[in-house]
């Protein structure tokens, strides 16, 4: 093993998505997961101790601590296999007590765990699709019981054991809430869900048989023995505040975080004053019980405390609210408190509450503060410091100060102090930060953001940019060792900048892929770079050219380092090797043993080397590198290590990774070769402060001093006033007390006299009572003596009776003894006679047996003789067969040689078949395991069915009882109905008022709609006017530009003209100069005018075209809207037309019927005319009858004619309307409806009338 050792010293980070991720070990120490470790952190003394994860662990999934605080269970995945490791916390250091990794059942991972109250049993829950609930006797690694939590593969979130009962278990998940009891080696469900179950996220035991359960819709349920007793809903309402946004900027320090007593309002709180607050449904991710009640998460950044209600028995009421404070240094303060609280934990004394959030932060609050702030919600404060909530992408350190600079994908930059383990500075930005480098002096940083590269000052309480470079997405940058230069990578180009003039002094081009790592040599004369193209280049900065190069296209390099003497380059990449490169040649390749190295660093002494792997481990090795596998490997992070570096004195190793954690390690060499470098000068204590800040602070100090003096004066004055008031009050009180004293004295004397009187009275009373008691005693003694004499006489009589009874019983016993002896003698004689008979029978049977034995011996001899003869015959036969077999054997030996060859070939085939058989057997075993698990499930379900049948019977009984109650309630109902009728009579006038109010509301809504339409119209007008205004602004700017151009032209012309005046005495030269002027200005001006005109025309054309297009678009929208409005009206009219047509058709049918009736009547009249010639008196009657009928029919005809004409006119009017509407664009008639023509209807009417 290597002699280079690394010890974990401190960590800044939290893994929030580990189940049950924070809890108390004792009053001062908490345990939480960070990286691939569990950290014991002392809140008071600020030290940390580490419990490392298992070797080759792929990350922790869940934690559980025993109730006696002795054992810690960690669920991990080791080499893609689930493992539960149980540590003994009482030993120092913590040692492994048991490892559970051999399972008889299928499991992917354990997602939740819980210890029993006596810490002997462990309850574990596996992930879907198995979803097995396993009850362990963990000391013996024995499974006591196992059951499938959910058949439908719903996620399970939490399991727990009753804190007062080892055998009672609770499971909650999505649509799952089960209470189970461990009896007779199985887990049996004791409750049954009714209807649709909500998504239960968390639960907690509040007493022996009571549970509080929270859902994703903000509901809390109280279950007692599986039955729901209480329910409440949590509503999130953003709090309002009258403070302004200026309060957020009052705190200037970056690490002055808001205290619980003086909360800083968030952006939502301020917006809530102007806009109405909205209600949302929170999710209850965590519940923690304590003696007074319980605490639960109630949506983002909010925790509610519930206490037992005194007025309502066994129910809870909301008592206090605790909020996560807004962070003034956050880029978006409205989001800083929008964190889901994932875990809550009370200290053993219930003095402190700790919460972990979804953004990897730890918060704490003392419970006494929540009691003080009863009016307003209390606020959490950071347990340590604000931690990174996403992958850390950049890491850097300096020489003159003990500072570490980190940047992350959470848009933040943080400056840490590795000596005091504190956070110095912290700031968030709009963009993601990819890389960071710290100047050796510790006063400046360079940060590569997504949009720009920024050079920043580290002030006493701020990080301020003073230079920006347009280098987008810079993923790597580094200051030189001297600090006079820094390099920044942009894709495949390295830009070199100087820190004195802040200018770009060179660009290094040559890589074909992205550059992943750069490193300066000790004297800053050369720069080494490595990238994804498999190239490692060494650049000479004085010439800007490559000096050495080593290209291996099959490898994508992740990190590069250079030895202190700059002779050897170390590079690591995707090919799982560490390469030593010198003079463009790979000297050695050391294997990484099935992992990818992602980072590398070498000590300044050149004797220690550290590499980071893709699985989050750190390997420490000595230099020169050994050929064998000689290194120390340490568990560090839960993700690939992004960056690692050593401090200037080689004392500390710093590592960051994708898990958002920063580790500091103390490193040393056991051989003493890596002794720390003695520092000639201590760490610098200077800080940067801007002049404006100093002036502002001085001004603030002066104001505060004056304010203090004013307050002193006010306080003195108030004190004097108070003294005066108090002295007066004291005088008044003394007078009152003296008077009261005197009155009390008089009362005391009166009471004394009364007491003496009562004493005399009581003495006399006692004497009388004593005399009475003496007399009563004497009377009682006389009575009792007489009673005793009577009782003694009775006793003597009874004694005589008992003696007589004894004598009688003795006589009876003697008689019984005599009878028994006679009966015994008779029985003995009878059984002796039977014995003699049996003995005679036995003797006869023995003689028969002897005869049979003799016969058997004779037959045996005969059989033996026969067998001897047969054996000789068989012997001769088989000797002949032996000779034949020997001959055949010689023949077969020749054949076996041939068969052996066949046998070898067949044997190979058999081996292949056996391998196939083994594989099939393994598959069969797996399937058998599945079948067994399914059979167990079936048995469990059968048990559940039986239990449910029993419960159904119980419920039926209950239903019968309820029916009886229902009958009684119906009686009450009759009485209540009468009361309801009376109340309804009283309600009627109120309902009339409500109708009136509703009508008013409808009128108001109509007015509102009208106002909305007006608003939309006005907005359209405003947009058009704005567009016109922009167009006029553009024209104005163009005209101004033209004016400037003309002024410049005039100035040039004036200067040239002035030069021409000098040649006024020489005509020839003057002529040439004027001709030049003409050529220069006149022609160019014409061209400028033409070009200007053309450009003006084009611009005017474009502006008018845009205006017309906008008008056209608005008109189209209006047409579409009007078309939609008209279409509804047209459809309504068409429906009315259809109904009218139906009525017309019905009227036509009625007309036909009336006409047929008329025809019948006319035929009847003709018959009557014929009869009139025969009989005269009958004719008179007949004349009367038709005359009446004709008059009646004429009236009906006139009416029908009028009706038909009216309908005809109505139809024509409707047809005209339809034709007009069809001409309107966008209108379509209803398909399938065809109106009859007017001509056809008129013809029909004429025919019928004829």
């Amino acid at each position: 093993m290597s002699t280079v050792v690394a010890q974990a010293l401190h960590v800044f980070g939290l893994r929030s998505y580990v189940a049950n991720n924070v809890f108390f070990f004792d009053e001062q120490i908490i345990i939480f997961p960070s990286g691939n470790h569990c950290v014991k952190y002392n809140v008071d003394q600020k030290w940390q101790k580490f419990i490392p994860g298992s070797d080759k662990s792929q990350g922790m999934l869940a934690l559980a601590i025993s109730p006696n605080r002795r054992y810690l269970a960690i669920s991990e995945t080791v080499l893609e296999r689930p493992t539960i490791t149980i540590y003994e916390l009482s030993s120092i250091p913590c040692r492994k007590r048991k490892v559970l990794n051999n399972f008889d059942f299928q499991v992917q991972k354990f997602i939740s765990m819980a210890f029993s109250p006596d810490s002997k049993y462990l309850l574990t829950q596996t992930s879907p699709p198995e979803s097995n609930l396993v009850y362990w006797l963990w000391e013996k690694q024995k499974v006591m019981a196992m059951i499938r939590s959910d058949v439908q593969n719903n996620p399970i979130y939490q399991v727990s054991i009753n804190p007062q009962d080892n055998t009672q278990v609770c499971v909650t998940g999505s649509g799952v809430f089960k209470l189970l009891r461990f009896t007779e080696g199985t887990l049996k469900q004791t409750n049954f869900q009714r209807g649709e179950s909500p998504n239960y996220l968390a639960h907690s035991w509040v007493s022996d048989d009571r549970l509080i359960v929270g859902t994703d819709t903000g509901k809390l349920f109280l279950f007692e023995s599986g039955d729901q007793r209480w329910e409440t809903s949590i509503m999130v309402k953003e709090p309002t505040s009258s403070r302004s946004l200026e309060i957020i900027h009052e705190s200037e320090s970056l690490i002055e975080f808001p205290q619980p007593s003086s909360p800083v309002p968030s952006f939502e709180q301020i917006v809530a004053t102007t806009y109405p607050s909205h209600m949302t449904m929170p999710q209850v991710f965590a519940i923690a019980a304590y003696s007074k009640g319980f605490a639960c998460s109630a949506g983002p950044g909010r925790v509610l405390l519930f206490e037992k209600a005194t007025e309502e028995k066994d129910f809870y009421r909301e008592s206090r609210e605790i909020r996560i404070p807004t962070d003034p240094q956050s880029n978006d303060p409205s989001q800083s408190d929008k964190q889901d609280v994932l875990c809550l934990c009370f200290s053993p004394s219930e003095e402190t509450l700790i919460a972990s959030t979804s953004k990897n932060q730890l918060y704490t609050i003392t419970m006494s503060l929540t009691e003080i702030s009863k009016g307003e919600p209390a606020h959490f404060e950071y347990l340590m410091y604000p931690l990174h909530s996403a992958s850390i992408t950049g890491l850097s350190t300096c020489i003159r100060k003990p500072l570490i600079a980190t940047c992350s994908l959470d848009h933040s930059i943080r400056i840490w102090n590795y000596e005091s383990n504190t956070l110095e500075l912290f700031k968030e930005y709009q963009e993601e930060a990819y890389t960071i480098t710290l100047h050796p002096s510790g006063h400046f940083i360079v940060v590569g953001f997504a949009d720009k590269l920024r050079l920043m000052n580290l002030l006493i309480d701020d990080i301020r940019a003073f230079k920006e470079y347009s280098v987008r997405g810079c993923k790597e940058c580094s200051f030189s060792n001297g600090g006079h230069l820094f390099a920044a990578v942009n894709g495949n180009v390295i830009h070199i900048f100087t820190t004195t003039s802040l200018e770009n002094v060179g660009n290094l081009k040559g890589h074909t892929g992205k550059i992943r790592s750069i490193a300066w040599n000790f004297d800053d004369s050369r720069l080494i770079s490595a990238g994804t193209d498999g190239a490692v280049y060494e650049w000479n900065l004085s010439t800007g050219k490559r000096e050495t190069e080593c290209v291996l296209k099959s490898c994508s390099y992740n990190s590069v380092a250079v030895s202190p003497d700059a002779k050897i380059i170390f590079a690591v990449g995707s090919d799982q090797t560490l390469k030593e490169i010198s003079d463009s040649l790979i000297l050695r390749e050391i294997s990484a043993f099935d992992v990818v190295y992602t980072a590398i660093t070498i000590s300044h002494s050149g004797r220690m080397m550290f590499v980071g792997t893709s699985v989050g481990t750190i390997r420490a090795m000595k230099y020169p590198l050994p050929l064998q596998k000689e290194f120390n490997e340490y568990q560090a992070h839960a993700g690939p290590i992004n960056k690692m570096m050593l401090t200037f004195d080689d004392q500390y190793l710093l590592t960051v990774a994708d898990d958002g954690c920063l580790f500091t390690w103390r490193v040393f060499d056991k051989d003493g070769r890596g002794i720390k470098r003695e520092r000639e000068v201590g760490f610098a204590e200077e800080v940067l402060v801007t002049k404006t800040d100093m002036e502002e602070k001085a001004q603030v100090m002066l104001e505060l001093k004056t304010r203090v003096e004013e307050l002193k004066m006010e306080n003195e004055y108030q004190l004097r006033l108070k003294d005066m008031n108090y002295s007066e009050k004291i005088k008044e009180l003394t007078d009152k007390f003296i008077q009261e004293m005197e009155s009390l004295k008089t009362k005391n004397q009166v009471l004394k006299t009364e007491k003496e009187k009562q004493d005399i009275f009581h003495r006399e009373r006692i004497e009388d009572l004593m005399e009475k008691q003496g007399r009563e005693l004497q009377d009682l003694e006389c009575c009792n003596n007489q009673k005793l004499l009577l009782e003694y006489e009775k006793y003597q009589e009874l004694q005589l009776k008992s003696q007589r009874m004894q004598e009688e019983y003795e006589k009876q016993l003697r008689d019984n003894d005599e009878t028994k002896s006679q009966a015994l003698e008779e029985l003995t004689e009878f059984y002796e006679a039977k014995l003699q008979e049996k003995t005679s029978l036995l003797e006869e049977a023995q003689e028969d047996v002897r005869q049979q034995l003799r016969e058997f011996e004779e037959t045996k001899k005969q059989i033996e003789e026969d067998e001897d003869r047969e054996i000789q015959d068989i012997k001769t036969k088989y000797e002949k067969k032996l000779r034949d077999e020997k001959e055949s054997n010689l023949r077969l030996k020749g054949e076996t040689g041939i068969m052996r060859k066949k046998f070898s070939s067949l044997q190979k085939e058999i081996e292949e078949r056996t391998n196939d058989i083994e594989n099939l057997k393994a598959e069969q075993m797996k399937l058998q395991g599945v079948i067994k698990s399914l059979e167990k499930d079936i048995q469990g379900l059968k048990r559940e069915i039986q239990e449910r049948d029993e419960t159904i019977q119980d419920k039926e009984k209950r239903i019968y009882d309820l029916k009886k109650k229902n009958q009684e309630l119906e009686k009450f109902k009759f009485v209540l109905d009468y009361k309801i009728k009376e109340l309804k009579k009283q309600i009627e006038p109120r309902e009339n008022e409500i109708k009136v109010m509703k009508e008013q509301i409808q009128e108001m809504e109509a007015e509102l709609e009208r106002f909305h339409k007006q608003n939309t119209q006005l907005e359209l007008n405003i947009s058009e006017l704005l567009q016109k205004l922009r167009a006029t602004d553009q024209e104005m700017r163009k005209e101004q530009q033209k004016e400037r151009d003309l002024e410049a032209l005039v100035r040039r012309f004036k200067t040239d003209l002035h030069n021409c005046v000098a040649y006024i005495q020489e005509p020839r030269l003057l002529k040439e100069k004027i001709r030049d002027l003409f050529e220069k200005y006149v022609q160019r001006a014409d061209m400028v005018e033409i070009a200007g005109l053309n450009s003006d025309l084009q611009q005017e054309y474009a502006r008018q075209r845009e205006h017309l297009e906008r008008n056209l678009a608005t008109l189209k929208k209006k047409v579409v809207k009007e078309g939609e409005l008209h279409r509804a009206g047209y459809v309504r009219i068409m429906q009315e037309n259809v109904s009218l047509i139906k009525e017309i058709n019905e009227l036509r049918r009625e007309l036909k019927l009336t006409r047929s009736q008329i025809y019948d009547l006319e035929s009847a009249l003709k018959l009557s005319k014929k009869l009139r010639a025969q009989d005269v008196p009958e004719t008179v009657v007949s004349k009367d009858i038709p005359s009446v009928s004709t008059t009646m029919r004429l009236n009906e005809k006139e009416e029908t004619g009028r009706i038909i004409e009216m309908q005809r006119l109505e139809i024509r009017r409707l047809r005209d309307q339809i034709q007009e509407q069809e001409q309107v664009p966008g209108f379509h008639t209803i398909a399938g409806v065809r109106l009859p023509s007017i001509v056809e209807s008129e013809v029909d009417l004429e025919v019928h009338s004829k």
Side-chain angles (χ1 to χ4, degrees), residues 1168 1171-1186:
S1168 62
L1171 291 166
R1172 188 176 52 185
Q1174 293 173 3
D1175 197 356
V1176 175
E1178 286 179 1
T1179 53
V1180 178
V1181 176
S1182 64
K1183 278 180 184 177
D1184 295 333
I1185 291 160

Side-chain angles (χ1 to χ4, degrees), residues 7 46 103 214 222 319 380 437 473 649 665 778 809 825 859 948 990 1118:
Q7 291 178 349
K46 308 294 183 187
F103 308 112
L222 175 67
S319 59
F380 282 105
T437 181
D649 56 3
W665 308 74
Q778 288 174 2
Y809 283 124
E825 286 172 1
T859 53
R948 284 182 181 179
R990 296 278 179 166
K1118 284 179 183 176

Side-chain angles (χ1 to χ4, degrees), residues 245-275:
L245 278 165
E246 293 172 358
I247 297 168
I248 292 171
H249 303 294
E250 279 181 7
S251 174
E252 293 182 358
S253 173
L254 282 171
I255 51 172
E256 283 183 6
F257 305 111
Q259 298 296 318
S261 58
S262 59
V264 179
S266 66
F267 182 71
E268 280 87 2
Q269 290 171 351
I270 291 150
V271 170
T273 58
T274 54
Y275 294 98

Side-chain angles (χ1 to χ4, degrees), residues 10-276:
H10 205 88
V11 65
F12 300 98
L14 169 73
R15 290 195 63 211
S16 61
Y17 288 98
V18 175
N20 194 16
N21 54 36
V22 64
F23 40 77
F24 277 89
F25 175 63
D26 57 27
E27 198 62 39
Q28 284 81 34
I29 297 169
I30 63 164
I31 296 174
F32 60 88
S34 183
N36 206 19
H37 290 258
C38 272
V39 183
K40 288 173 75 176
Y41 175 66
N42 190 304
V43 178
D44 295 336
Q45 298 174 11
K46 308 294 183 187
W47 54 255
Q48 290 184 352
K49 289 181 181 177
F50 294 86
I51 304 167
S54 304
D55 292 339
K56 297 180 181 177
S57 170
Q58 294 167 345
M60 298 177 184
L61 299 168
L63 302 179
I65 192 167
S66 62
N68 59 9
R69 300 290 192 269
R70 281 191 63 190
Y71 306 111
L72 173 69
I74 302 174
S75 166
E76 300 173 284
T77 306
V78 180
L79 295 173
E80 297 183 356
R81 287 184 61 194
T83 303
I84 296 172
T85 311
I86 297 164
Y87 291 88
E88 193 168 347
L89 295 172
S90 55
S91 62
I92 300 173
C94 299
R95 65 181 181 87
K96 287 183 182 179
R97 183 69 179 267
K98 278 281 182 259
V99 179
L100 310 177
N101 55 8
N102 293 319
F103 308 112
D104 299 333
F105 49 90
Q106 285 189 343
V107 57
Q108 292 182 358
K109 57 186 177 181
F110 292 97
I111 55 173
S112 183
M113 301 183 294
F115 277 97
S116 63
D118 57 2
S119 305
K120 289 181 181 177
Y121 300 97
L122 181 69
L123 185 70
T124 59
Q125 175 66 49
T126 67
S127 62
E130 295 88 15
S131 296
N132 288 323
L133 183 69
V134 190
Y135 194 70
W136 298 83
L137 181 64
W138 62 267
E139 283 279 7
K140 296 181 181 179
Q141 299 185 5
K142 183 182 176 183
V143 175
M144 302 297 290
M146 186 171 72
I147 190 171
R148 192 164 183 185
S149 299
D150 187 58
V151 184
Q152 298 174 352
N153 292 335
N154 288 325
I156 305 296
Y157 299 119
Q158 188 182 353
V159 297
S160 67
I161 301 176
N162 189 331
Q164 307 297 327
D165 187 0
N166 279 350
T167 61
Q168 195 171 13
V169 169
C170 180
V171 182
T172 52
S174 179
V176 179
F177 171 67
K178 290 186 179 181
L179 287 171
L180 303 108
R181 191 170 286 281
F182 175 67
T183 53
E184 300 173 357
T186 57
L187 287 164
K188 292 183 179 178
Q189 189 172 348
T190 58
N191 74 313
F192 296 100
Q193 296 168 333
R194 303 178 191 87
E196 290 186 6
S197 297
N199 187 2
Y200 297 107
L201 296 178
H203 70 266
S204 180
W205 295 87
V206 290
S207 66
D208 296 352
D209 55 352
R210 286 186 181 168
L211 273 162
I212 289 289
V213 186
T215 69
D216 62 346
T217 57
K219 287 190 176 181
L220 290 171
F221 299 99
L222 175 67
F223 289 95
E224 184 176 0
S225 303
D227 295 327
Q228 186 181 322
R229 298 290 184 213
W230 175 71
E231 177 186 351
T232 187
S233 293
I234 302 165
M235 300 302 290
V236 173
K237 190 173 182 181
E238 294 295 337
T240 58
S241 176
S242 59
R243 298 181 186 179
S244 64
L245 278 165
E246 293 172 358
I247 297 168
I248 292 171
H249 303 294
E250 279 181 7
S251 174
E252 293 182 358
S253 173
L254 282 171
I255 51 172
E256 283 183 6
F257 305 111
Q259 298 296 318
S261 58
S262 59
V264 179
S266 66
F267 182 71
E268 280 87 2
Q269 290 171 351
I270 291 150
V271 170
T273 58
T274 54
Y275 294 98

Side-chain angles (χ1 to χ4, degrees), residues 315-333:
F315 288 175
Y316 293 89
R317 60 176 178 79
E318 183 185 332
S319 59
R320 286 171 193 86
E321 180 182 357
I322 309 169
R323 284 186 169 272
I324 291 171
T326 56
D327 197 340
Q329 307 310 326
S330 173
N331 166 45
D332 188 0

Side-chain angles (χ1 to χ4, degrees), residues 863-887:
I863 289 161
E864 282 176 354
E865 289 172 359
D866 294 335
E867 288 297 324
D868 288 335
R869 290 190 202 109
E870 284 178 5
I871 286 160
Q872 284 176 357
D873 295 335
I874 289 160
K875 194 177 180 183
T876 52
K877 279 181 186 177
Y878 279 110
E879 280 175 354
K880 286 177 184 178
K881 278 186 181 180
L882 244 173
R883 290 186 201 111
D884 296 333
E885 287 293 329
K886 282 178 182 177
E887 289 172 2

